[in-house]
Structures are given as C-alpha cells and as structure tokens.
Amino acid sequence: MPPHLIPSHRNRPSDDPIFSLHQEANRRKESGETIVDATIGVLLGEDGQLAILPTAARAVREVHEAEWAAYAPIAGTPEFRRAVIDDLLADAPDLRACAVAVATPGGSGALRHAIVNFLEPGQAALTASWYWSPYKTLCDESDRRLETFEMFSATGSFDVAGLDAAIGRQLATQGRSLVFVNDPAHNPTGYSLTDEEWHAIVESIASRAASGPVTLLVDGAYMLYGPRSARSLAARLLPLAGTAAVLFAWSASKSYTHYGLRVGALVACLADDRERARVEAALSYSCRGTWSNCNRGGLVAITRLLVDPSAARSCTAERDHLKATLLARVDLFNRLARERGLHYPRYDGGFFVTVFVDRALERAASMAKRGIYVVPQVLASGRGALRVALCALASRDVPRLVEALSDAT
Ligand code: PLP
C-alpha cells in the first residue's frame, strides 16, 4: 500500500529548529549545568523568569468567564478590530480611513492570511535575505514560496535598490508582489530602519505599484521595542494610500508579554471601496477556513488594554521598564562585541542581534558544547550568522556569551 501521507509532506521536520535548541538547553539546565540560552524570542527578566506586564496579566484575569467560554465573531469582536486600527493608525488618517482588520492568532495568523489572499498558489512572497524562518514555513504550508533580496548594502545600510529590483522582477514574473518588511527591531538582525530608508522604500513601492499590484506587509511583531513609535512608522507610509495595498501584522505577543494568549490582527488598508470590501470578506472567509475564530477572552483583555486610558498608561510605564532592562543588555553587548571586533549590523535595541560568521552550523555546535546556545543561520549563498536572543539572557551572561562568540568567529 502506498504511504498515507502525501509525498510533498513526507520530509517535513517535526520540530521547529529554534524550539528544539531551546529544549536541549533546558534539559541541560535542569540537569544542573550552567547554560546560557540565547535561542528563544521571549523577554526574560534578570532573574531568568518570563517578564510579564502586571497590568496585562490583571486584565487577562479580570475577563469574565462567559467571555472565555463564548465564541468570538469569526473576524474578531468589532471593539477589538476598531481598537487595533485606532492604535496603529491614529497618526495616519488617510490609512485609517481605508483600513479593515480581522483578529488572528498572533502575528503568525496575520502573515498566513496575507500569504493566501495576496498571492496565488505557487507564487512567492518577498523578504530580506535575513528573515524569521517561519516566513518560509508559512509559505510552504500554503503552497507558496519565499524569495529574498540582499538585506544589506556594502556599507551596512538596508539595500533599498535590491528590494526595488526584486519587486520589479516579481511583477515581471508573477504579475504581483507581496513584500514583508519586519520593522522595527528586525528579527533576526536587530536592525531598525532609519527614516531615510523608510522614505526610500515607500518611494520604490509607490513607483513600482504603478505597474502592478504591490502589497507591503509591515510585520510589527516588535513594534513597541524600536527606536520610534509605531504610530509614527505608520505615518511614514501615508504616501502609499491609494497606490499600494498596505498591511500590518499586529501582535499582542511581545507588546503585552502574552505570547501564549495568541492575540493578533491583520490590518489591511485599501483605498478603493469595492476592493476593500472584497478583501475584508476574503479575510473573514480565511478565518472561517482555518481557526474559525480566535479566543474571545484574549480579544476582550487586549481591547481593554488598548482603549482604557489608565490601563494603557500603566502598560506603557511597565513596558518602558522592561525596555530599559533590555537596553542595558544591548549596551553591554555593543561595548564588549565592539572590543572583540564582532561583525554585526547596527543594533540599538530589540530582542535579537545577528553576528555574521562563516561555518555557522559548526560554530553554533561548538558553542553549544560549551553550554552557550545561539541559533545558526545559513543563507542559500552559503553566508552564515548566529542569531543571539539578548531578550532571553541576564546581563551577567553577556560577557560569557560575547567571549564564546568571539572565539567562534
Ligand atoms: N514576526 C516575527 C518577525 C516574529 O519574530 C514573530 C514571533 O516571534 C512573529 C511575527 C509572530 O509572533 P506571534 O504569532 O506570537 O504574534
């Protein structure tokens, strides 16, 4: 009898590589070894415990049991959808006026919906050469592909010319382009785009969109951990209103330190009324055709954190405190890594940084033998890097980490 599993799914790895490394590090920790685990993208306090915004935890606890028990509407509660749009687009009125949103389980769900609704099967999404590896998994899972452009120019800035050429190629080969830009605090490099780089990206997309449908998706997983406010980023995209489709993958995971609550949204801005109505319907259909609806309790809790001014203020203050803790690690890393001559992009905040190395797999394995876990990455071109999750370390571990990284490079 032929195997039951369809051929195209027979060689799929069961474990996400990052979670497997994290589990291995945990096993060794539990057996008493002193391990530095810089693999996983969650923010830990200096005590090694998950950092949780107290106001967010309280809001979750205070959601009534009937809200947890009941179904949410397919596309999410109207209050949640409105609150996310207002949160993101308060300073970008032309985008806000043409925005629709659906609730998704985290930013991951938003990415999934973008892939299946803005690309045909077999077509490719476009992103930078260094990218969060689940982008590829999400594309594979939806029978789409992922293409990349070189992220950095020779001077270390974002290669807007490379992006522009790649969009042009996609328009020529597949008649449309869906571009993922993860900003600020890009995972895995830690790079945040400058205002000038955003300006050049917007110009490129606006001009390319004149010759075919171009959709820009801003993946804002780390939106509240970057150097500028999320709202001012959205305002930079205003020139795209009416030319390109602008999407935002919005996530409560890092912003409210509730990764497991699985609350997110896909926000889509389309100037044309008929097209916007079609997109809204298609996104809602996608919700029904995948997870049906998100958990209502999570949507209610996050809505409250967005719309209740006092809860919102408390979350900002508590998050600022966490950001300061993270920034102290980043500053220490930058000082020590520069002394050691490590090669990595400009890093001024955010959960991760990526150190460029050759033979990344070998080097990560030898660091793991010494009890220091980082995530190796190798591009199709053969160039490699080690992703370091500073979010998951204590400051006291940074010197040991940098020493191991510099031995490895
Ligand atoms: N995008 C990037 C770049 C991420 O790093 C993550 C999470 O690690 C996500 C999206 C999605 O996270 P979630 O689905 O928890 O919102």
Side-chain angles (χ1 to χ4, degrees):
M1 203 185 359
H4 295 83
L5 191 62
I6 56 172
S8 57
H9 288 203
R10 268 181 217 152
N11 293 318
R12 295 207 150 158
S14 67
D15 266 348
D16 179 276
I18 300 175
F19 277 90
S20 320
L21 280 171
H22 172 62
Q23 275 163 6
E24 185 183 311
N26 263 349
R27 272 197 300 276
R28 286 178 62 182
K29 254 188 210 168
E30 277 158 20
S31 73
E33 288 184 71
T34 315
I35 298 295
V36 176
D37 177 11
T39 58
I40 196 94
V42 295
L43 187 51
L44 304 186
E46 290 293 296
D47 57 358
Q49 300 299 309
L50 198 61
I52 304 173
L53 301 182
T55 302
R58 199 165 45 250
V60 168
R61 272 198 310 275
E62 287 174 2
V63 171
H64 192 270
E65 62 190 35
E67 301 277 20
W68 291 112
Y71 283 125
I74 300 295
T77 58
E79 298 79 15
F80 172 76
R81 298 162 68 187
R82 175 51 47 203
V84 168
I85 291 174
D86 289 346
D87 174 54
L88 203 53
L89 301 175
D91 292 344
D94 289 3
L95 289 175
R96 185 196 204 167
C98 68
V100 292
V102 294
T104 58
S108 306
L111 291 161
R112 187 264 166 209
H113 274 9
I115 291 166
V116 302
N117 285 289
F118 293 86
L119 292 172
E120 290 288 3
Q123 294 185 336
L126 181 64
T127 200
S129 46
W130 301 105
Y131 61 86
W132 183 50
S133 58
Y135 283 176
K136 169 93 168 47
T137 315
L138 285 158
C139 287
D140 278 352
E141 187 60 17
S142 314
D143 296 323
R144 270 73 170 176
R145 295 174 300 109
L146 186 66
E147 288 176 353
T148 59
F149 59 92
E150 193 55 46
M151 181 163 177
F152 295 113
S153 68
T155 59
S157 60
F158 189 84
D159 190 354
V160 183
L163 164 69
D164 180 69
I167 297 174
R169 272 195 303 279
Q170 287 208 323
L171 288 174
T173 54
Q174 61 182 34
R176 58 177 60 251
S177 187
L178 168 64
V179 185
F180 290 170
V181 177
N182 173 213
D183 188 68
H186 175 259
N187 179 2
T189 63
Y191 193 79
S192 290
L193 292 163
T194 62
D195 287 347
E196 293 71 36
E197 285 166 338
W198 260 120
H199 181 74
I201 292 170
V202 167
E203 261 191 352
S204 151
I205 290 180
S207 123
R208 291 287 179 187
S211 50
V214 180
T215 305
L216 168 67
L217 179 140
V218 180
D219 177 353
Y222 303 92
M223 205 126 217
L224 302 186
Y225 293 88
R228 75 169 82 67
S229 80
R231 288 180 178 179
S232 73
L233 194 163
R236 305 224 131 255
L237 307 181
L238 270 175
L240 294 179
T243 45
V246 179
L247 312 182
F248 296 90
W250 186 94
S251 170
S253 298
K254 330 275 166 174
S255 300
Y256 293 95
T257 64
H258 274 70
Y259 312 85
L261 196 62
R262 309 309 303 138
V263 173
L266 179 61
V267 176
C269 306
L270 294 116
D272 181 81
D273 292 346
R274 274 170 40 132
E275 188 179 21
R276 184 166 64 256
R278 287 203 184 111
V279 165
E280 190 172 23
L283 295 178
S284 186
Y285 193 88
S286 282
C287 293
R288 189 43 149 166
T290 46
W291 45 77
S292 194
N293 51 78
C294 294
N295 78 74
R296 186 181 184 105
L299 300 181
V300 169
I302 297 298
T303 304
R304 178 165 162 213
L305 298 176
L306 286 167
V307 303
D308 173 339
S310 136
R313 266 195 309 277
S314 301
C315 280
T316 303
E318 291 163 8
R319 193 183 304 107
D320 282 348
H321 179 69
L322 295 186
K323 278 162 71 176
T325 307
L326 179 57
L327 210 54
R329 291 176 206 164
V330 173
D331 289 345
L332 180 59
F333 176 88
N334 278 329
R335 186 161 62 72
L336 299 178
R338 278 191 207 118
E339 279 168 20
R340 296 270 187 165
L342 296 188
H343 181 36
Y344 62 99
R346 193 191 67 240
Y347 179 39
D348 33 38
F351 280 35
F352 306 101
V353 65
T354 281
V355 177
F356 301 122
V357 296
D358 56 8
R359 294 181 291 121
L361 295 173
E362 218 177 283
R363 292 179 195 279
S366 84
M367 285 177 69
K369 274 204 196 113
R370 294 169 59 180
I372 293 150
Y373 283 83
V374 294
V375 178
Q377 299 191 301
V378 182
L379 299 187
S381 63
R383 279 181 308 119
L386 302 173
R387 187 189 82 165
V388 180
L390 277 193
C391 56
L393 298 179
S395 289
R396 65 179 170 280
D397 292 328
V398 174
R400 187 173 160 209
L401 167 84
V402 173
E403 192 188 316
L405 282 166
S406 64
D407 289 351
T409 53

